[in-house]
Amino acid sequence: MKIFNPTLLSLCLTSTLLSPIGNARSYDDIIDSEFITVAVYRDYPPFSYQEDGNPKGIDYDIAKHIANEMQVELRLQWMTADENVEDDLRNNLWKGHYLTRTVADLMLRVPYDSAYSHSRDDIGELVHEQVHMFAPYHTESWQIIFDQKKIESVSTMAVFQYHPVGVEVDSIPQFYLSAAFGGRMRDSAQHYVSTIEAVEALQRGEVDAAMGLRSQITYLQGGMDTTQFKLAENAFPMLGQQQWEIGMAVKTNYRQLGYAVGDIVEAMIKQGDMQAIFAKYHSEYQEPTLY
């Protein structure tokens, strides 16, 4: 026979109420609470960063637009990038970081790719079973910016057998320059903590070019002498995927929230709001193929 213990029940309820765990919520719960929590990466200009304590960036402006359309307050969850996207999704959307256990309702800057979203692990289980990826809002690619005083033009990657290129350490550009064409560009790759530092090195004359995300490179070029620092138009042979789409994610149980946000994002693209946000940060925008 089970004995009802009111003291134990009271302790359990108190623990639940005082627990710091924050759960992802349904669309109705968000509307009722009058706020939405959106996860964005910290210190990641032009996408999401702070200036004098104020949030700024492309993803911040997108999140703000979504909150305004839903008529709720925007609350940000600043993410620190982990080793891979799977970790970021787990830490910020469906489980929570082991220190805080807080999760967001919506996460931005998530790869939008059918094969990726339906990928399986070694035993055949869905890797991303806990999340729903949707609403691609930008097509991303790689870009090279170069100093025209040192390099006349960049028609092919072969030119970088003879010119140093700044790249972010442990990034795809670093691995590409180290391995492509039998490693003939390996010694040309100069490693920096971030693409921003690689471009700053370009401006100081330490390297003749820098390679990184197109949206970030074009943003950085906006503050440079564009008559000297030019965008290359070359392709990247043997790089693999040349372009990929960036979207959003919610916890898989809350598809209704995903549908509502997806409609807002589609309207932003079709009405020109998305293009205007990228233009505000001097960042090149490419519409996803879905639209």
Side-chain angles (χ1 to χ4, degrees):
M1 178 179 176
K2 294 182 179 180
I3 301 176
F4 174 71
N5 188 329
T7 303
L8 179 60
L9 176 61
S10 175
L11 288 173
C12 290
L13 287 173
T14 302
S15 175
T16 301
L17 290 171
L18 297 180
S19 171
I21 297 176
N23 297 315
R25 301 168 302 149
S26 69
Y27 174 81
D28 290 337
D29 287 340
I30 290 169
I31 297 301
D32 289 344
S33 69
E34 299 183 344
F35 75 89
I36 183 171
T37 304
V38 180
V40 296
Y41 286 100
R42 71 172 72 248
D43 302 326
Y44 196 28
F47 312 114
S48 43
Y49 58 102
Q50 294 187 62
E51 226 174 58
D52 299 325
N54 298 313
K56 288 191 172 184
I58 292 169
D59 289 346
Y60 167 68
D61 285 1
I62 293 171
K64 185 168 60 173
H65 185 101
I66 290 170
N68 288 341
E69 288 296 306
M70 294 178 65
Q71 298 182 350
V72 295
E73 174 195 350
L74 171 62
R75 297 184 183 179
L76 295 177
Q77 176 160 309
W78 293 98
M79 299 184 288
T80 299
D82 212 313
E83 292 185 2
N84 52 51
V85 178
E86 288 86 349
D87 292 339
D88 294 342
L89 288 164
R90 181 186 65 249
N91 291 339
N92 295 282
L93 199 60
W94 63 267
K95 186 176 182 180
H97 191 275
Y98 71 94
L99 290 176
T100 63
R101 294 300 186 195
T102 57
V103 295
D105 302 309
L106 174 69
M107 177 173 163
L108 271 58
R109 197 145 293 276
V110 177
Y112 179 81
D113 178 84
S114 179
Y116 176 76
S117 61
H118 294 95
S119 58
R120 295 180 179 271
D121 60 21
D122 295 339
I123 60 173
E125 297 291 335
L126 284 170
V127 175
H128 304 295
E129 183 180 13
Q130 296 285 347
V131 299
H132 169 55
M133 302 177 198
F134 67 102
Y137 59 93
H138 176 51
T139 299
E140 192 58 271
S141 62
W142 301 110
Q143 177 71 58
I144 285 178
I145 184 170
F146 66 97
D147 185 345
Q148 199 170 42
K149 290 183 177 180
K150 298 182 178 180
I151 306 175
E152 184 176 347
S153 65
V154 178
S155 56
T156 71
M157 289 298 295
V159 69
F160 296 114
Q161 296 177 78
Y162 316 106
H163 293 275
V165 187
V167 293
E168 183 175 331
V169 68
D170 292 333
S171 66
I172 289 177
Q174 178 196 334
F175 300 138
Y176 175 65
L177 290 169
S178 299
F181 304 106
R184 289 198 293 271
M185 298 180 291
R186 182 181 297 114
D187 294 337
S188 297
Q190 305 299 306
H191 306 153
Y192 296 90
V193 173
S194 67
T195 300
I196 292 175
E197 292 194 14
V199 172
E200 289 174 346
L202 170 64
Q203 293 178 280
R204 292 193 300 267
E206 295 175 9
V207 293
D208 298 346
M211 180 177 174
L213 293 175
R214 181 187 57 193
S215 53
Q216 193 167 41
I217 291 290
T218 51
Y219 156 74
L220 295 169
Q221 189 199 30
M224 302 165 68
D225 180 358
T226 56
T227 62
Q228 178 181 352
F229 299 103
K230 301 283 190 178
L231 299 178
E233 297 180 358
N234 62 290
F236 300 96
M238 298 180 286
L239 181 57
Q241 190 172 9
Q242 300 283 325
Q243 297 185 341
W244 63 99
E245 295 184 346
I246 300 297
M248 307 180 180
V250 295
K251 195 170 181 180
T252 194
N253 299 2
Y254 302 130
R255 299 292 181 98
Q256 184 185 4
L257 172 60
Y259 299 146
V261 172
D263 288 343
I264 294 171
V265 170
E266 182 175 0
M268 290 179 71
I269 292 172
K270 291 184 175 180
Q271 295 170 11
D273 297 308
M274 192 69 71
Q275 294 89 327
I277 289 174
F278 275 76
K280 173 182 173 182
Y281 294 92
H282 308 286
S283 185
E284 187 173 329
Y285 178 72
Q286 182 176 339
E287 187 175 297
T289 56
L290 180 65
Y291 308 105

